[in-house]
């Protein structure tokens, strides 16, 4: 079992009151826990021990949660290669597992672990103390066995943090207030949107299961409406251009000068620096950084275009979400070789959209199919999305809520 | 072919804020190495930058003093390059959306005519760490001091409006005067709180071409900037005369050898928007608030000094060039001293005395009231100029009032007509030759007679009074 954890603390906890009292939580080792190894799955940070708790870790402790340990993770949270979150939650080793979600990692781990998982709206959970790679997309995703636990965890995590000025402080407050409200009884059946498929593109491996789930929902009375998204075919490319550029900058701090891995060889500081970076990163991250370097140095216009398409995607999906309760999309397990950045992206196709747009996205395990279903909600509509998720989940499993 | 030089400057000014630009560390780069550091300015994993409000305010006020237009929206970019002085592999700087655009400063050209030099923009950025290269035995080592990493800077980028070294030097003096006035920065090139790089190219006189430029760095005084530009103009002229092309590169000024030498090829890293520092959006109300904090600036003040104190234009310019000096002048002028006399005494006595002692006007131990008392005694002929110089020196050494010093040294001038008449008569009797010369048309010989009278009085006679008496007696 130790193999699943970077560190594990089995000492019986002091009982602490709070909404998460007694709930066990496992984090990823890229979420700073004071005096604990926070290596983010990369040799660049081998032996790095956090000086202070990340804001979200402090929030968990205050809510009464029991911090059990940190799992293992892919390098800098890029993909799920070597990640143990799904096994930890599936084996019942924790009630709640936190995973940063950049391409859809938390959602894919939820599908693999057969539990619901939420990527919250971007900007409502502090990133202070989170060791990441793509600042404009990554957020702390939540895996739990029940929707209530996810909602309660989000309520504890979300909220303005003066140490993270990039947050949407007002939006975070609004989400917390929504989560605290009593749910109103549902009026009629939900209406879900599905994004019109791109003609000519090969269907993803979950297409058949997704279509089957749609039919079951339609049969149960759920409204299904097709949504046009002009740039839907560009989503993976836009995510990869912006993500790789941000990653290339973010990883610039791993140079062996102040902390982390430093190469032994090198005749001068310049060589020490080059060798340390060369030895620090694995092949997938390295190829991602090279891509980012290419767009930064050689093709900046492509980056500018990608930012423009991203803004249009945000506008179009938000407009579409005015007409439906949520967008329904497939979700995979993120499984794949992951030897290059391209392979990692191939494994996360269906989850990239919400990472780009910053909208909340929730996966529901589908007991009848290998993949999962993903619901994308309006930005800051996290509470409503969780309620919709519960309802769809009940409909799929045949429960009719009273 | 005759060429003219095209010169543009890039000036970094360190703002004198209490903290660094993105964290709460003290902004004191000179402290013991690596004492003013924290997870943010070392960029430890998980650290988040938070823009200092004070730095933004001081930057905006400095931009206003340079007549810039503060932009409604500005934002930080990551200027990417890899070097051990840069803790995160990029520098947070405003490349795409600077804080302020346009702006100008007026200088005087060689004919004393006003010449307006335009600014392209002013942006905020963080300073980098300081590298110290040493050897440990025979092993070369590089030490990094992160105290300076994250200190707030504004970078002022001019248009290529300068044509001669004197333009650049006058511009830097004007810039320093304006920014110092705001109290937002110390602007000392010697101490590194103002750093200037110059871009220089040549073109046929009268053309409006912009040719390949060469950047010159490492000048640590305004004079060095002038010298380096003059050298570079000469060097490029010689290259062109020899048919050698000018290539884009960076050169270092060597103040010992007084030459520029080529250094590493100029590297421009890419600049991408930073996803973590929110954009700066300013409102009209905030701009008004900042504008109210802008003090009366030197040009305005000089005009007022002419109107209010009847100073000559050049005296008014001098008295308003430094904010502390202008405050001192106004304090003295308010103490029953003729303003022009006060200005004259400040310029010719006080400032040289301060310079001799390595002090600035803000550090003077001679308060305006003691200085005013001294000038008043001179104005009333109670002491002569020579004694006044000694009294001023004494004022620097203690807290004694000038009246007491005058008494202690027995400097009070003799203006009593009876006493002076006696001395005048004695001198006339003893110097028949000079008297004869004077009467023969050599009016200068009266100076000799006055000198004799002064000596006879032990330096205490009122020289003006004595001269007057000689003139009266010799006119008889």
């Amino acid at each position: 079992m130790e193999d699943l954890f970077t560190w594990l603390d089995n000492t019986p906890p002091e009982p602490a009151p709070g909404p998460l009292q007694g709930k066990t939580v496992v984090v990823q080792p890229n979420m700073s826990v004071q005096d604990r190894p926070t290596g983010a799955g990369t040799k660049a940070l081998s032996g790095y021990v956090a000086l202070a708790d990340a804001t979200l870790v402090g929030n968990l402790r205050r809510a009464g949660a029991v911090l059990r340990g940190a799992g293992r993770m892919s390098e800098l949270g890029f993909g799920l290669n070597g990640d143990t979150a799904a096994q930890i939650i599936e084996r019942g080793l924790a009630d709640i597992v936190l995973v940063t979600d950049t391409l859809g990692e938390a959602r894919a781990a939820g599908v693999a672990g057969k539990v619901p998982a939420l990527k919250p709206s971007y900007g409502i959970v502090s990133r202070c103390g989170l060791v990441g790679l793509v600042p404009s997309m990554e957020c702390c995703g939540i895996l739990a066995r029940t929707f209530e636990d996810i909602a309660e965890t989000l309520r504890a995590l979300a909220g303005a943090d003066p140490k993270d000025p990039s947050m949407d402080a007002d939006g975070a407050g609004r989400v917390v207030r929504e989560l605290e409200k009593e749910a109103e009884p549902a009026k009629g059946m939900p209406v879900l949107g599905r994004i019109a498929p791109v003609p000519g593109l090969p269907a993803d491996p979950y297409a058949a299961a997704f279509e089957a789930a749609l039919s079951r929902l339609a049969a149960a009375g759920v409204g299904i409406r097709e949504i046009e998204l002009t740039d839907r075919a560009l989503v993976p490319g836009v995510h990869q251009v912006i993500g790789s550029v941000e990653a290339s900058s973010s990883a610039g701090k791993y140079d062996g000068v102040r902390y982390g891995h430093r190469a032994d060889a090198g005749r001068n500081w310049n060589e020490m620096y080059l060798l340390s970076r060369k030895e620090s990163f694995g092949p997938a991250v390295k190829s991602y950084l090279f891509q980012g370097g290419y767009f930064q140095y050689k093709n900046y216009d492509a980056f500018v275009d990608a930012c423009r398409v991203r803004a249009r995607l945000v506008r179009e999906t938000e407009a579409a979400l005015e007409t439906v309760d949520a967008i329904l999309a497939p979700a995979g397990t993120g499984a794949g070789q992951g030897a290059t950045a391209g392979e990692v992206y191939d494994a996360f196709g269906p989850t990239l959209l919400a990472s780009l747009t910053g909208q909340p996205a929730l996966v529901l395990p589908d007991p009848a199919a290998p993949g999962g279903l993903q619901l994308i909600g309006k930005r800051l509509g996290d509470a409503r999305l969780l309620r919709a998720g519960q309802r769809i989940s009940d409909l799929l499993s045949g429960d009719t809520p009273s | 072919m005759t060429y003219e030089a095209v010169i543009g400057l890039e000036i970094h000014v360190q703002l004198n804020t209490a903290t660094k630009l993105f964290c709460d560390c003290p902004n004191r780069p000179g402290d013991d190495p690596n004492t003013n550091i924290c997870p943010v300015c070392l960029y430890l994993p998980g650290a988040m930058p938070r823009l200092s409000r004070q730095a933004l305010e001081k930057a905006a006020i400095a931009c206003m003093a340079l007549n810039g237009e503060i932009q409604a929206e500005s934002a930080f970019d990551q200027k990417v390059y890899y070097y051990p002085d840069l803790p995160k592999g990029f520098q947070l700087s405003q490349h795409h959306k600077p804080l302020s655009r346009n702006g100008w400063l007026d200088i005087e050209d060689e004919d004393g005519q006003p010449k307006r030099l335009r600014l392209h923009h002013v942006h905020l950025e963080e300073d980098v760490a300081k590298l110290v290269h040493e050897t440990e035995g025979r092993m070369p080592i590089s030490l990094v001091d992160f105290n300076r990493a994250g200190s707030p800077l504004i970078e002022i980028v001019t248009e290529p409006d300068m044509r001669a070294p004197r333009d650049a030097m006058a511009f830097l003096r004007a810039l320093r005067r304006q920014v110092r006035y705001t109290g937002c920065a110390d602007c000392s090139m010697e101490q590194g709180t103002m750093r200037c790089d110059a871009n220089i190219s040549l073109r046929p006189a009268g053309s409006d071409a912009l040719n390949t430029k060469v950047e010159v760095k490492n000048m640590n005084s305004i004079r060095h900037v002038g010298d380096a530009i003059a050298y570079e103009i000469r060097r490029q002229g010689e290259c062109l005369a020899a048919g050698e092309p000018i290539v884009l590169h960076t050169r270092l000024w060597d103040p010992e050898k007084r030459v520029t030498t080529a250094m590493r090829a100029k590297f421009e890293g890419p600049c991408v928007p930073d996803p973590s520092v929110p954009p700066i959006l300013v409102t009209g109300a905030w701009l008004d608030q900042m504008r109210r904090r802008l003090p009366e600036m030197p040009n305005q003040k000089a005009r007022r000094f002419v109107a209010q104190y009847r100073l000559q234009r050049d005296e008014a310019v001098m008295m308003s060039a430094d904010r502390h000096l202008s405050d001192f002048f106004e304090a003295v002028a308010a103490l029953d001293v003729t303003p022009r006399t006060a200005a004259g005494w400040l310029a010719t006595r006080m400032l040289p005395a301060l310079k001799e002692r390595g002090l600035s006007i803000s550090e003077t131990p001679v308060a305006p009231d003691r200085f005013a008392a001294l000038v008043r005694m001179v104005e009333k002929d109670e002491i002569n100029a020579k004694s006044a110089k000694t009294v001023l020196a004494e004022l620097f050494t203690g807290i004694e009032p000038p009246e007491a010093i005058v008494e202690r040294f027995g400097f009070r001038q003799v203006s009593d007509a009876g006493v002076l008449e006696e001395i005048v008569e004695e001198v006339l009797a003893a110097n028949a030759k000079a008297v004869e010369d004077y009467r023969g048309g050599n009016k200068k010989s009266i100076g000799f007679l006055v000198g004799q009278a002064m000596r006879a009085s032990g330096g205490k006679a009122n020289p003006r009074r004595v001269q007057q008496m000689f003139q009266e007696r010799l006119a008889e």
Side-chain angles (χ1 to χ4, degrees):
Chain A
M1 193 175 88
E2 266 73 32
D3 286 353
L4 298 178
F5 293 91
T6 305
W7 61 269
L8 186 61
D9 183 1
N10 276 323
T11 50
E14 295 282 318
L20 293 178
Q21 180 168 1
K23 297 278 182 191
T24 51
V25 182
V26 167
V27 297
Q28 257 184 333
N30 65 340
M31 299 170 181
S32 302
V33 178
Q34 189 174 345
D35 299 331
R36 294 289 188 178
T38 306
T42 179
K43 191 173 176 188
L45 279 176
S46 56
Y48 184 74
V49 172
L51 298 173
D53 278 349
T55 301
L56 67 89
V57 169
N59 289 349
L60 281 177
R61 294 190 202 270
R62 268 190 298 282
V66 178
L67 201 57
R68 192 56 92 200
R72 296 195 182 278
M73 66 184 292
S74 64
E75 183 164 28
L76 293 165
F78 182 57
L80 283 173
N81 196 4
D83 193 280
T84 55
Q87 290 148 280
I88 290 168
I89 194 89
E90 197 176 7
R91 290 200 207 167
L93 302 174
D95 299 314
I96 297 152
V97 176
L98 302 183
V99 174
T100 47
D101 191 304
T102 308
L103 283 74
E105 289 85 351
R107 286 165 280 168
V111 174
K114 301 183 182 68
V115 294
L118 174 76
K119 177 199 90 71
S121 293
Y122 180 83
I124 65 168
V125 177
S126 169
R127 289 188 294 120
C128 180
L130 223 68
V131 186
L133 204 54
V134 183
S136 80
M137 298 187 206
E138 64 211 3
C139 29
C140 174
I142 305 163
L143 285 71
R145 263 178 292 281
T146 66
F147 294 96
E148 289 82 3
D149 275 0
I150 292 182
E152 213 50 75
T153 307
L154 181 61
R155 191 157 80 90
L157 296 182
D161 175 13
K163 286 190 206 151
D164 178 0
S166 74
M167 290 184 72
D168 176 354
D170 294 342
R174 248 160 62 205
V175 171
V176 172
R177 283 194 298 279
E178 283 293 318
L179 287 166
E180 284 165 353
K181 265 196 224 160
E182 279 292 316
E184 289 171 21
K187 289 178 208 143
M189 290 302 271
V191 178
L192 302 178
R194 65 165 298 181
I195 298 166
V198 185
L201 276 193
D204 69 65
Y206 307 103
F210 178 63
E211 294 301 332
L214 274 179
S215 305
R216 275 154 54 217
L217 287 171
V222 173
I224 308 286
R225 198 172 288 170
E226 193 139 295
I227 286 169
E228 282 297 331
L229 208 55
T230 323
D231 300 310
R232 62 198 182 282
L234 299 178
V235 168
V238 167
H239 191 298
Q240 196 166 351
V241 171
I242 297 174
S244 65
V245 165
E246 289 188 19
S248 175
S249 279
S250 298
K253 58 182 173 280
Y254 305 120
D255 56 12
V257 173
R258 300 165 308 287
Y259 51 78
H261 174 69
R262 178 186 288 187
D264 291 332
R267 284 167 300 176
N268 50 46
W269 61 255
N270 197 37
E271 280 187 11
M272 178 274 284
Y273 192 92
L274 289 171
L275 286 170
S276 300
R277 285 180 65 80
K278 185 179 168 186
E279 292 169 9
S280 283
F281 305 114
V285 166
K286 213 177 255 176
S287 72
Y288 202 37
L289 302 186
F290 279 134
Q291 282 174 13
Y294 166 75
F295 291 114
Q296 282 183 334
Y297 287 86
K298 298 283 181 197
N299 197 353
Y300 187 73
D301 288 347
F303 172 74
V304 174
D305 285 343
C307 292
R308 212 165 20 231
V309 175
R310 183 185 195 180
R312 199 159 61 203
L313 281 166
V314 171
R315 282 196 304 273
E316 283 196 4
T317 44
E318 280 292 293
L321 283 161
E322 293 292 337
T323 66
V324 294
D325 293 305
I327 292 172
L328 189 67
T333 58
Q337 287 301 308
T340 65
E343 286 179 17
V344 174
Y345 267 86
D346 287 345
F348 287 89
T351 46
L352 298 173
L353 174 65
S355 295
L356 264 183
T357 60
Q359 287 150 339
L362 176 72
V363 292
L364 327 169
D366 182 353
L373 288 176
Q374 188 186 185
L375 289 174
I376 300 171
K378 259 184 97 62
R379 213 181 106 65
L380 305 178
D382 302 56
R384 199 170 152 222
L385 183 69
L386 282 165
R387 284 167 200 146
Q390 176 77 67
R391 194 129 186 256
I392 300 294
S393 183
D394 291 344
L395 286 168
L396 280 172
S397 60
D399 287 352
T400 315
S402 52
Chain B
M1 186 182 288
T2 51
Y3 290 98
E4 71 175 0
V6 179
I7 304 159
L9 302 178
E10 292 169 12
I11 302 122
H12 285 93
V13 169
Q14 187 191 312
L15 300 174
N16 58 8
T17 51
T19 66
K20 293 185 182 182
L21 187 53
F22 292 110
C23 63
D24 295 332
C25 285
N27 178 26
R28 290 196 307 266
D31 285 4
D32 285 345
N34 295 314
T35 49
N36 298 327
I37 53 171
C38 76
V40 176
C41 56
L42 287 182
Y43 230 64
L44 295 189
M48 302 276 297
R50 187 179 62 211
L51 181 65
S52 147
R53 180 171 282 272
Q54 192 194 26
L56 175 62
E57 290 175 355
K58 289 205 167 195
I61 292 168
C63 288
M64 286 173 174
L66 303 173
N67 307 298
E69 294 160 15
I70 307 285
Q71 302 297 294
E73 181 179 344
S74 59
F76 282 91
D77 297 292
Q78 303 177 340
K79 188 173 178 184
V80 178
Y81 67 93
Y82 297 102
Y83 210 65
D85 66 0
L86 200 53
K88 48 192 177 294
F90 58 81
Q91 181 188 21
L92 283 167
S93 177
Q94 298 180 310
H95 178 76
H96 298 294
K97 294 179 174 176
L99 179 64
S100 166
R101 290 186 194 272
N102 303 323
W104 48 265
L105 282 178
D106 285 335
I107 61 163
E108 281 185 2
D109 68 10
E110 54 264 55
D111 305 320
Q113 295 304 307
K115 178 173 180 177
R116 179 153 294 185
L117 300 174
R118 295 167 304 152
L119 304 185
H120 183 268
H121 74 264
V122 181
H123 67 254
L124 256 171
E125 66 182 26
E126 57 178 347
D127 209 342
V128 297
K130 193 171 140 192
L131 288 179
V132 182
H133 303 290
E134 292 183 352
T135 48
E136 214 168 56
R138 293 176 61 192
M139 167 87 96
I141 54 165
S142 298
L143 302 170
V144 196
D145 177 6
F146 287 97
N147 280 354
R148 201 177 66 180
S151 277
L153 302 175
I154 48 173
E155 182 173 345
I156 299 132
V157 180
T158 74
E159 295 285 0
D161 286 352
M162 288 158 257
R163 296 287 170 268
R166 66 171 308 286
D167 286 353
M169 291 164 73
F171 177 85
L172 287 172
R173 288 194 190 101
L175 172 82
R176 184 177 63 183
R177 188 188 64 203
Q178 291 292 103
V179 177
R180 273 187 184 166
Y181 238 77
T182 65
C184 295
D186 304 335
C187 294
S188 161
M189 287 195 70
E190 289 75 9
Q191 283 164 23
T193 53
M194 180 160 114
R195 307 193 280 269
C196 175
D197 302 335
N199 290 300
I200 302 141
S201 63
L202 295 189
R203 67 183 176 196
S207 113
D208 55 4
L210 287 177
N211 290 330
T212 305
K213 66 190 182 184
V214 171
E215 184 180 32
V216 184
K217 289 176 176 292
N218 197 41
M219 294 83 81
N220 55 10
S221 72
I222 291 177
R223 181 166 295 278
H224 283 177
V225 173
D227 290 350
I229 292 172
Y231 176 86
E232 190 54 27
I233 292 172
R234 209 160 52 237
R235 191 192 68 82
Q236 288 188 26
E238 285 164 10
C239 285
L240 291 172
E244 290 167 25
I246 305 291
V247 288
L248 180 74
H249 71 300
T250 300
R251 299 180 74 83
L252 279 187
W253 171 247
D254 182 334
E256 300 292 315
K257 297 184 186 150
R258 300 174 55 77
V259 297
T260 64
T261 49
M263 62 177 285
R264 63 184 156 84
K266 189 168 166 57
F267 172 75
E268 283 289 348
C271 286
V272 294
D274 182 86
S276 293
V277 184
I280 300 166
L281 305 175
V282 305
T283 61
W286 185 81
L287 283 177
D288 289 343
Q289 208 184 323
M290 292 304 111
R291 213 165 278 125
R292 279 197 293 276
R293 282 170 55 181
L294 198 63
E296 183 186 25
M297 296 305 286
N299 282 339
Q300 268 171 299
K301 195 173 271 186
R303 278 196 295 274
R304 178 167 65 82
F305 282 3
V306 170
Q308 184 179 344
Y309 298 112
R310 308 274 164 224
L311 297 190
Q312 296 293 307
R313 170 79 195 157
D314 55 343
E315 294 166 343
V317 166
M318 185 171 191
M319 284 304 109
S320 57
D322 177 286
R323 193 167 160 184
H324 297 290
L325 177 62
S326 68
D327 290 345
F328 197 100
F329 163 74
E330 292 210 85
V332 174
L335 292 169
D336 201 21
V337 176
T338 311
R340 284 199 64 192
T341 314
W345 268 74
L346 271 169
T348 58
R349 302 296 171 115
M350 185 66 159
L351 294 183
L354 286 166
K355 197 172 177 191
E356 228 168 72
R357 292 162 176 81
L359 297 171
S360 72
I361 186 80
S362 59
E363 300 162 321
T364 179
V366 184
D369 58 336
R370 296 168 79 218
F371 184 73
L374 169 63
V375 181
R376 271 199 309 268
M377 282 193 282
V378 178
E379 276 199 293
K380 289 181 186 160
D381 273 340
E382 290 172 12
I383 58 172
N384 63 35
K386 192 161 161 259
S387 311
K389 198 173 175 186
T390 311
V391 176
L392 181 60
E394 285 297 306
L395 288 178
F396 272 93
T397 63
I399 53 162
E400 216 178 344
E403 294 85 349
I405 298 168
V406 167
E407 295 312 326
R408 181 153 60 84
F409 281 84
F411 278 156
R412 201 164 283 278
Q413 285 194 138
V414 178
S415 298
D416 182 292
V419 179
L420 292 184
E421 232 164 70
E422 209 169 295
I423 296 171
V424 166
E425 289 308 325
E426 275 171 28
V427 171
L428 287 174
N431 295 283
K433 171 87 173 61
V435 170
E436 202 175 303
D437 285 352
Y438 183 86
R439 288 200 167 125
N442 183 2
K443 302 289 179 201
K444 279 185 190 160
S445 59
I446 199 164
F448 172 77
L449 295 171
V450 172
Q452 293 302 309
M454 290 306 291
R455 186 191 292 178
S457 73
K460 287 187 197 172
N462 178 341
R464 205 151 16 133
R465 190 79 196 88
V466 169
Q467 175 155 354
Q468 214 177 354
M469 290 169 87
F470 275 121
Q471 278 165 343
E472 284 164 10
R473 277 284 281 104
L474 294 171
E476 285 164 9

